[in-house]
Amino acid sequence: MSAQAESAERDTRFFGQPLGLATLFTTEFWERFSYYGMKAILLFYMYYETTKGGLAIPQATAAALVSIYGALIYMSQVVGGWIADRVLGNQRAVLTGGVIIMLGHITLSIPFGGQPALYVALLLIILGTGLLKTNVSKVVGDLYDERDQRRDAGFSIFYIGINAGAFLAPLVVGAVYGATNFHVGFVCAAVGMAIGLVTYFFTRRLLGDRSAKPSAPLNSDNLGSVLRNLGIGLCVLVILVAAAGFFHLLTVDTLVNAVSVLSILLPISYFTVMLRSPRTTAVEKSRLRAYIPLFITAVVFWLIEEQGSVVLAIFADKRTDLHVGGITLQPAFFQSINPLWVIVLAPIFAWAWTKLGDRQPSTPRKFAYGVAFAGLSYLLLTLPGLLYGTSAKVSPFWLIGSFFIVIVGEMLVSPVGLSATTKLAPAAFASQTMGLWFLSDAAAQGISAQIVGFYSASTEVAYFAIVGVCAILVGVVLYFLTPWIARHMEGVR
Ligand code: GLU
Ligand code: ASP
C-alpha cells in the first residue's frame, strides 16, 4: 500500500472519512447553493413582466431556455473533464470553475443588464460548472485508495452536501428576492459561490496529490493534433453560425433545437466510440450493451425530475395557493422540497440496502421502479386539475406529494446509476464515466426543452398524464428486459 493511501486510510477526521471530504463537501454545498438558488428564481426572472422586474420573455420560450441551460450545464462536464485530464488537473479545474461561476452570478446581479447580461451570465455559469462539477466528484473518488471500503459512504455524504445546498438556497434566495428584487437574489448566489471558493482555496491542501496534476497532460507530440482539431471545430462553429445568420435562423428557437439535438448526439457518439474501440474488451462490450437501456431509462427519469424546476415551478407560481396560515410563500421555496426529501430519504435507503444485502432488487429492477415512481409523481398532478379545474388555486400539498414520489424514484436511480456507470463503463474510459452519467441528465433536459412549451393551464391534465404514462411504460419495458440486461452485465449486479 502506498504511503499516501495508508495515511488517507488512517485519516478518519470527518465522520470517519478523510478530512479532505470536508473541503469537497463544503465547496460543493456552496456551488450547488449558488446553482439551485439562482435557478429557483431564474425562470420567473425570465417570464415575469418588466413591471415586476422580469424580462417578459414568453413563458414557453423561457421554459425551453431554462431546460437547455440545464442541458448545457451537464454537457459541459465532458469538456471540463477533458480540460482537467489534459491541462489543469482536477483540483485546479475546480478552483478555476468556481471563479467563472461566481463571475456569472455577478453578471446577473447587475441591474438593467437585460437579456444580453442574462446570456453572458448563463454562458459563464455553464463553462464554470463544466470545470467544477465532474472534477469535484472525481476528487472525492481520489481521496480513497482503490480498496478503501469507505468510498461509497463518502459519496453518500457528498450527495447529502449537494442536497443540503440545494435545500437552503431556494429559501434564502427566494426570501431575499421577495424582500428586494431579482438582482439582489442573484447576489446571494454569487456570495454563496465566493464562500465555497474561499473555503476551497484555504483547505485544498487536505486533498492529497492524486488529482492535483493532469492525468494525461498535453505534450509536444499531441499538442499539434489537438490544436488542429480545436481549430477545425471552431471553424465549423463559425461557419454554422454565419450560415444561420445568413438564412435569418439566428433565433432562440434555433439555439434550443441545436442544443436538443446535440444533447442526444453526444451520448450516442460516446457509446459508439466505446463500443468500437479496440481498447474495449468483449466482456466490456457486453456490459456496455446492458448499460444502454439503463441509460435511456435514466434519461426518462431525469426528464421528469428536472422539470421540477421548470414545469412544477410554473405550477407553484400559477396554480398553487401560496397563502398558508397567514404567511405568503414564495414560489421559489418549492424548489427546496426535492432536496429536502433527498436528505430525509437517502439515509433510509442506504440503511435498507445494507439490511437487505443480497435480497435487494438488481440495478435494472431499481431503475424500472425508479422511473415508474417518476411517472406516478406526474399522474398525481393530473388530479388537482381533474378535481378542481385548472383555473383554481390548489393546496401546496399536491406539489409536496409529487416531489416526494419523484424522490423515492431518485433514490432508486441516481446513486444506483452512478455506481452502475463506474462498474459497467470500459476501464479505458474510466475517467470519463462521471461525465457519461451526467450526459443522461443533459439529454433529458435537451428533450425536455422540446416539450415543456406544451405545458399551460389548459393542457395541464393531458401534459401530466401523457408524460407520466410514458415514463411508467418505460419502467414496464425495463422490468421485462431485466433478465436480458442481467445476463449481459457479466457478473455485475
Ligand atoms: N441533482 C444532483 C446534482 O445536482 C444530481 C444531478 C445528476 O446526477 O444528474 O448534483
Ligand atoms: N435532487 C437534486 C440533486 O440530487 C437537487 C435538486 O434538484 O434540487 O442534487
Side-chain angles (χ1 to χ4, degrees):
M1 193 186 292
S2 72
Q4 189 198 2
E6 231 177 286
S7 69
E9 238 166 64
R10 253 189 266 119
D11 181 356
T12 52
R13 287 174 288 174
F14 184 63
F15 298 107
Q17 302 282 336
L19 193 56
L21 186 62
T23 298
L24 302 170
F25 180 97
T26 315
T27 310
E28 184 58 348
F29 171 93
W30 285 111
E31 185 268 330
R32 291 285 98 181
F33 175 96
S34 73
Y35 177 71
Y36 284 113
M38 175 272 206
K39 211 174 169 203
I41 56 173
L42 175 66
L43 180 66
F44 305 136
Y45 175 57
M46 286 180 172
Y47 76 64
Y48 277 12
E49 302 95 76
T50 40
T51 46
K52 288 167 84 182
L55 295 173
I57 297 173
Q59 181 186 301
T61 312
L65 277 173
V66 172
S67 298
I68 60 154
Y69 165 61
L72 286 167
I73 282 280
Y74 291 115
M75 281 156 81
S76 67
Q77 302 308 317
V78 176
V79 183
W82 188 88
I83 294 178
D85 279 351
R86 316 301 313 255
V87 189
L88 287 175
N90 303 113
Q91 294 185 15
R92 249 184 308 153
V94 171
L95 196 61
T96 317
V99 173
I100 301 176
I101 292 172
M102 190 180 66
L103 291 177
H105 292 302
I106 292 175
T107 310
L108 270 177
S109 313
I110 303 167
F112 317 116
Q115 287 200 36
L118 171 74
Y119 290 120
V120 172
L122 295 185
L123 193 66
L124 286 170
I125 301 170
I126 289 163
L127 293 175
T129 312
L131 282 170
L132 191 143
K133 193 152 169 44
T134 13
N135 290 311
V136 77
S137 341
K138 175 78 177 20
V139 183
V140 174
D142 282 346
L143 288 175
Y144 307 92
D145 182 59
E146 256 171 39
R147 288 149 305 164
D148 194 329
Q149 300 280 346
R150 297 174 302 169
R151 181 194 298 254
D152 276 7
F155 269 106
S156 304
I157 296 176
F158 184 69
Y159 185 53
I160 302 278
I162 289 176
N163 280 282
F167 166 69
L168 187 66
L171 301 177
V172 173
V173 175
V176 169
Y177 154 71
T180 54
N181 59 44
F182 282 111
H183 300 285
V184 186
F186 295 132
V187 170
C188 293
V191 170
M193 192 62 253
I195 300 175
L197 268 173
V198 171
T199 322
Y200 184 78
F201 186 80
F202 286 107
T203 58
R204 77 202 142 120
R205 64 193 156 70
L206 296 169
L207 301 176
D209 49 18
R210 236 180 247 141
S211 49
K213 299 244 158 55
S215 55
L218 288 179
N219 53 37
S220 46
D221 291 343
N222 49 33
L223 189 62
S225 70
V226 167
L227 286 179
R228 196 181 56 234
N229 289 344
L230 264 178
I232 296 174
L234 269 180
C235 287
V236 171
L237 188 69
V238 169
I239 292 171
L240 283 178
V241 172
F246 183 77
F247 292 109
H248 303 288
L249 286 173
L250 266 189
T251 60
V252 171
D253 283 348
T254 314
L255 176 71
V256 170
N257 294 338
V259 174
S260 292
V261 171
L262 267 181
S263 74
I264 298 170
L265 286 184
L266 205 57
I268 293 182
S269 44
Y270 245 71
F271 281 114
T272 316
V273 168
M274 288 194 286
L275 277 172
R276 293 218 170 144
S277 166
R279 294 183 297 161
T280 311
T281 65
V283 168
E284 287 177 333
K285 281 186 186 155
S286 166
R287 286 186 178 150
L288 210 47
R289 282 192 203 98
Y291 181 70
I292 292 172
L294 296 177
F295 185 90
I296 295 172
T297 308
V299 171
V300 179
F301 172 79
W302 288 120
L303 183 122
I304 290 183
E305 200 267 5
E306 290 284 1
Q307 286 190 9
S309 58
V310 187
V311 171
L312 302 200
I314 300 174
F315 191 94
D317 184 33
K318 303 215 155 144
R319 292 272 289 115
T320 305
D321 185 2
L322 298 172
H323 305 282
V324 181
I327 45 168
T328 306
L329 302 173
Q330 285 294 329
F333 291 167
F334 286 81
Q335 294 305 313
S336 286
I337 305 171
N338 162 327
L340 178 64
W341 285 132
V342 172
I343 297 168
V344 172
L345 290 178
I348 300 179
F349 273 80
W351 171 83
W353 298 150
T354 349
K355 193 97 189 137
L356 285 172
D358 278 349
R359 283 175 298 135
Q360 64 185 288
S362 63
T363 299
R365 282 281 147 87
K366 285 181 185 161
F367 265 56
Y369 301 141
V371 76
F373 272 108
L376 285 177
S377 78
Y378 260 29
L379 287 191
L380 179 73
L381 287 179
T382 59
L383 295 181
L386 287 172
L387 292 173
Y388 314 111
T390 50
S391 47
K393 297 246 177 180
V394 302
S395 158
F397 283 103
W398 291 106
L399 277 180
I400 295 175
S402 176
F403 275 117
F404 175 78
I405 300 174
V406 84
I407 294 308
V408 172
E410 184 158 332
M411 297 296 102
L412 294 160
V413 172
S414 181
V416 184
L418 193 55
S419 122
T421 310
T422 50
K423 286 184 225 150
L424 294 174
F429 297 87
S431 67
Q432 289 164 40
T433 49
M434 208 73 85
L436 178 65
W437 173 245
F438 285 134
L439 285 183
S440 65
D441 199 327
Q445 300 197 63
I447 299 169
S448 215
Q450 300 296 319
I451 57 179
V452 284
F454 291 111
Y455 172 81
S456 67
S458 59
T459 58
E460 182 183 297
V461 174
Y463 184 90
F464 287 134
I466 295 171
V467 179
V469 167
C470 288
I472 293 174
L473 287 179
V474 170
V476 172
V477 172
L478 192 73
Y479 186 90
F480 288 110
L481 269 182
T482 300
W484 180 88
I485 297 173
R487 232 178 307 124
H488 284 79
M489 279 167 62
E490 305 275 355
V492 173
R493 242 181 84 85

